[in-house]
Amino acid sequence: MPPEPLRWDGTDAQGNPLRWDTPGLTWDGFVREPPTTRKKMPQLRVQLGFTNAADHSVVERAEEVAAGLYVSPLWTPAPPAPVPPVTLAALNASSNAFSDAMARADMGGPADTALKNNLREDLIALLRKLAGFVQENHDNDLAKLLASGFEAVSTNRAQSALPAPEIRDILHALSGQFKVRVAPVPNAKNYEVQSALIAPTGAPGPWSSAGLFSNSQSMLVNGLTPGAEYLIRVRAMGGSTGTSDWSATRNQRAM
């Protein structure tokens, strides 16, 4: 296709039309290209979903950061490279203390659960500091961000927060066991189920996690006391915020 003919519609300082044969008007033979708008690269962000994750997921995130941020060649260049605000020894000590407290809380009472919750917050505070350090120093490099042991927030703008699950059924399985079923949540990676024993006074006790499940139709809650009444709640894992809100609670008596 032949190029379109060059046209001139300019004017002089007085607003009079300029013509090709206007005296004093010269042309250097080049047609200037229109200015291009530079596309801004999206800024990668560190995923902070671990702050609301199940207890064991918080420990797993700490272990992945310990195995990544402090040993990866992408994060251990020669000085004067930035130094993480939390030492590896401090992170491991906090993670181990929380893991031990989780085991004691499963067999202990309210004091053990309170200690576990305090140690969880301590570990999350350290992970938040390290996440901020990674955010400031990943250079918008996805490989470098992931090498730190943290995850990246999805750049898919269609991703959104997950809705809270809806509990459909709480069925009796074996003695001291519930099978919980929820309506599937689109884009959920897993589901977490928690139970709380209701005291004779009607006051619920501390929440205890039954773990993560990939099948929304078969989530087992074990270790229940036959004859005791429990509150059950479920949340979905994934989406732009890491987790959904908790479902409405449901009461059920164990058999």
Side-chain angles (χ1 to χ4, degrees):
M1 247 182 111
E4 292 186 7
L6 184 65
R7 295 182 177 85
W8 176 261
D9 60 356
T11 57
D12 61 17
Q14 287 73 42
N16 299 316
L18 289 174
R19 298 173 53 84
W20 289 110
D21 56 355
T22 300
L25 179 66
T26 59
W27 179 44
D28 60 8
F30 292 96
V31 177
R32 303 199 182 279
E33 296 183 1
T36 57
T37 303
R38 197 168 186 181
K39 222 172 180 182
K40 189 176 180 181
M41 290 183 63
Q43 181 68 21
L44 294 171
R45 292 188 293 120
V46 176
Q47 171 67 263
L48 299 179
F50 61 83
T51 59
N52 295 315
D55 289 344
H56 69 275
S57 296
V58 177
V59 173
E60 289 173 0
R61 180 60 54 213
E63 292 174 346
E64 290 178 10
V65 172
L69 181 62
Y70 298 92
V71 299
S72 170
L74 295 176
W75 288 99
T76 55
V83 178
V86 178
T87 65
L88 176 59
L91 179 62
N92 284 337
S94 180
S95 179
N96 291 337
F98 177 47
S99 295
D100 293 342
M102 286 169 56
R104 289 194 299 271
D106 288 341
M107 305 296 294
D112 296 302
T113 299
L115 176 61
K116 179 209 73 170
N117 291 339
N118 289 339
L119 291 174
R120 172 191 167 96
E121 293 305 315
D122 291 343
L123 179 56
I124 286 177
L126 297 184
L127 288 172
R128 276 186 171 277
K129 286 184 180 180
L130 292 170
F133 170 79
V134 171
Q135 182 64 46
E136 292 178 2
N137 295 282
H138 63 56
D139 303 324
N140 209 33
D141 182 340
L142 180 59
K144 186 175 182 180
L145 191 162
L146 297 178
S148 71
F150 287 103
E151 294 181 333
V153 174
S154 173
T155 56
N156 180 5
R157 295 185 180 272
Q159 188 183 44
S160 59
L162 298 180
E166 177 188 353
I167 297 177
R168 285 181 170 172
D169 299 298
I170 301 177
L171 307 173
H172 293 104
L174 301 176
S175 179
Q177 186 182 73
F178 289 151
K179 178 186 284 189
V180 181
R181 300 171 59 193
V182 300
V185 176
N187 301 319
K189 295 180 180 178
N190 293 292
Y191 301 86
E192 182 187 9
V193 183
Q194 288 189 348
S195 63
L197 176 64
I198 299 176
T201 60
W207 290 102
S208 176
S209 179
L212 296 180
F213 303 88
S214 59
N215 185 352
S216 64
Q217 303 303 298
S218 183
M219 300 182 288
L220 297 178
V221 182
N222 298 299
L224 306 174
T225 302
E229 190 174 6
Y230 290 85
L231 281 179
I232 300 294
R233 66 181 183 180
V234 183
R235 67 178 173 179
M237 313 298 288
S240 60
T241 58
T243 64
S244 71
D245 290 334
W246 289 104
S247 67
T249 58
R250 287 271 297 270
N251 293 44
Q252 185 74 329
R253 190 174 298 276
M255 297 180 63

